[in-house]
């Protein structure tokens, strides 16, 4: 409800819309053909986006059409999902995305992976769902995708899948928590650690998670610490008065 859909079929700007593929939070996705006869995907957005062309008053973007099921729709097993996340991480080592979610990682029939929406990822504000994948930080976003594949729902305040699913793989749990906790320096470090776990080796990100968690706890409790520090001199004075003999 509330989507401003484009009539199909129709032609504009050298594009021929063929049919509607999906309705998402930020707009409607279509299968189309460009002027050169190539299969493309066209997304018409609900909100205006600076720098994007318009049709029927709606901003739209075009990308090559990719066959495959999104991880959001496919819901693969934990191991196959983790393997797909690793392949996505390898693709993202040197190419930032900025608006990752399980819907934007496609798993093909041959188990290869493609990450979509590079072309318009930063053209619009993040959707509410994408914000749950950590506001444009690709490592945390992939950590959230991995969390959802292990648990079944996106993370809320927790970062460890084992808080919700007790039999989650310990290695995958550790990598997920480290990614969501900000423990990896970059996408390469995340990919390397996830690769180690999938080979049966131990991950290396544990200490970073603990440091990140401790830092977050310290930041949350800083006002209380300052208040306690301010009260120490008063407590000392009161103790001295109570213990001192009467003049």
């Amino acid at each position: 409800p509330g989507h401003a859909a484009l009539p199909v079929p129709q032609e504009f700007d050298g594009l021929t819309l063929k049919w509607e593929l999906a309705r998402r939070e930020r707009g409607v996705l279509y299968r189309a053909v460009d002027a050169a006869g190539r299969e493309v995907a066209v997304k018409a957005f609900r909100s205006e986006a600076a720098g994007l062309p318009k049709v029927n008053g709606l901003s739209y973007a075009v990308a090559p059409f990719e066959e495959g099921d999104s991880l959001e729709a496919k819901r693969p097993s934990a191991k196959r999902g983790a393997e797909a996340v690793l392949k996505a991480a390898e693709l993202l080592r040197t190419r930032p995305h900025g608006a990752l979610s399980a819907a934007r990682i496609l798993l093909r029939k041959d188990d290869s992976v493609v990450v979509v929406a590079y072309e318009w990822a930063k053209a619009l504000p993040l959707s509410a769902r994408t914000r749950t994948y950590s506001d444009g930080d690709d490592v945390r976003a992939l950590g959230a995708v991995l969390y959802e594949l292990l648990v079944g729902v996106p993370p809320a305040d927790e970062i460890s899948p084992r808080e919700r699913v007790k039999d989650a793989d310990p290695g995958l749990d550790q990598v997920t928590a480290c990614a969501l906790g900000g423990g990896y320096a970059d996408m390469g470090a995340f990919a390397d650690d996830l690769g180690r776990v999938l080979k049966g080796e131990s991950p290396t990100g544990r200490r970073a998670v603990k440091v990140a968690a401790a830092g977050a706890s310290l930041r949350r409790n800083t006002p209380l610490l300052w208040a306690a520090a301010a009260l120490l001199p008063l407590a000392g004075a009161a103790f001295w008065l109570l213990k001192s003999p009467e003049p």
Side-chain angles (χ1 to χ4, degrees):
H3 282 79
L6 298 173
V8 290
Q10 71 161 303
E11 297 183 8
F12 59 90
D13 298 343
L15 299 166
T16 302
L17 293 191
K18 297 170 68 174
W19 61 77
E20 182 180 313
L21 287 172
R23 297 194 175 202
R24 300 290 186 186
E25 184 180 348
R26 297 202 299 175
V28 184
L29 191 66
Y30 301 88
R31 182 86 172 258
V33 177
D34 67 10
R38 294 169 297 199
E39 296 283 342
V40 295
V42 175
K43 189 166 186 178
F45 295 98
R46 299 180 69 182
S47 303
E48 184 174 346
L52 292 183
K54 288 186 178 182
V55 57
N56 295 8
L58 299 175
S59 299
Y60 75 90
V62 183
F65 181 78
E66 299 286 356
E67 290 279 2
D69 295 316
S70 72
L71 292 184
E72 180 182 65
K74 186 73 173 175
R75 295 290 180 184
S77 65
K79 183 179 179 181
R80 194 176 181 213
E83 290 170 347
V85 170
L86 174 59
K87 292 172 184 176
E90 295 290 355
L91 293 173
L92 294 165
R93 275 183 184 266
T94 58
R95 187 179 181 185
H97 189 286
L100 279 172
S101 71
R104 295 194 171 106
I105 301 173
L106 305 185
L107 185 60
R108 297 189 180 111
K109 291 182 179 179
D110 63 359
D111 279 346
S112 62
V113 165
V114 61
V115 180
V116 299
Y118 286 107
E119 291 80 1
W120 61 68
K122 297 180 180 179
L124 290 155
L126 295 177
S127 66
R129 181 168 178 78
T130 305
R131 280 198 299 273
T132 69
Y133 287 82
S134 66
D135 266 339
D137 182 317
D138 286 348
V139 175
R140 287 179 175 164
L142 273 187
V145 171
L146 187 54
Y147 181 102
E148 184 169 354
L149 292 172
L150 297 174
V151 174
V153 295
D157 294 328
E158 70 284 346
I159 62 175
S160 169
R162 292 181 71 125
E163 293 182 22
R164 305 282 292 274
V165 179
K166 299 302 182 185
D167 60 349
D169 179 89
L172 293 178
D173 174 82
Q174 191 170 313
V175 170
T176 303
C178 189
L180 288 173
Y184 292 117
D186 52 36
M187 186 62 73
F190 170 74
D192 291 343
D193 221 20
L194 181 54
R196 277 188 283 270
V197 169
L198 292 175
K199 291 176 185 176
E201 302 172 7
S202 297
T204 61
R206 180 179 302 168
R207 183 175 298 177
V209 172
K210 289 182 177 179
V211 170
S217 176
L218 182 62
R219 287 192 297 274
R220 284 195 301 270
N221 294 318
T222 294
L224 294 176
L225 293 173
W226 279 111
L231 289 173
L232 281 174
L234 296 177
F239 180 80
W240 180 82
L241 288 173
L242 289 173
K243 292 297 183 181
S244 296
E246 291 185 6

